[in-house]
Amino acid sequence: MPIAVDIDVMLAKRKMSVGELAERVGITPANLAVLKNGRAKAVRFTTLAALCEVLECQPGDLLRWEPEAADAPAGSVTRAP
């Protein structure tokens, strides 16, 4: 997926555990793990705002775009299995 999630980086910078972040944001540790590991299909703006508030960061500190793999032809669409 071309969107990479850097929650682990911010957790390390803030010296905070996943459990503490989940509790302070108000989501389950399981749902935070899905987001953190890049398996989420979407994120609510309210959740993103809460993450930014707790971690004292900007959305761009948590999410970044990465180009698709170079071996895919230009203009092609790849689908997850």
Side-chain angles (χ1 to χ4, degrees):
M1 173 171 271
I3 301 297
V5 182
D6 292 328
I7 291 175
D8 282 338
V9 174
M10 292 307 297
L11 282 171
K13 286 182 179 180
R14 301 297 186 251
K15 297 180 175 143
M16 187 181 297
S17 70
V18 172
E20 180 183 354
L21 179 61
E23 185 177 325
R24 291 179 61 186
V25 169
I27 62 176
T28 66
N31 283 341
L32 181 57
V34 167
L35 179 59
K36 174 173 96 61
N37 295 324
R39 294 188 317 262
K41 299 292 182 196
V43 60
R44 292 179 189 264
F45 280 173
T46 53
T47 302
L48 183 58
L51 286 165
C52 290
E53 181 178 352
V54 171
L55 293 170
E56 298 178 350
C57 66
Q58 294 295 313
D61 296 325
L62 302 176
L63 304 172
R64 64 186 155 80
W65 176 79
E66 290 183 343
E68 291 286 338
D71 56 0
S76 69
V77 176
T78 57
R79 298 192 189 276

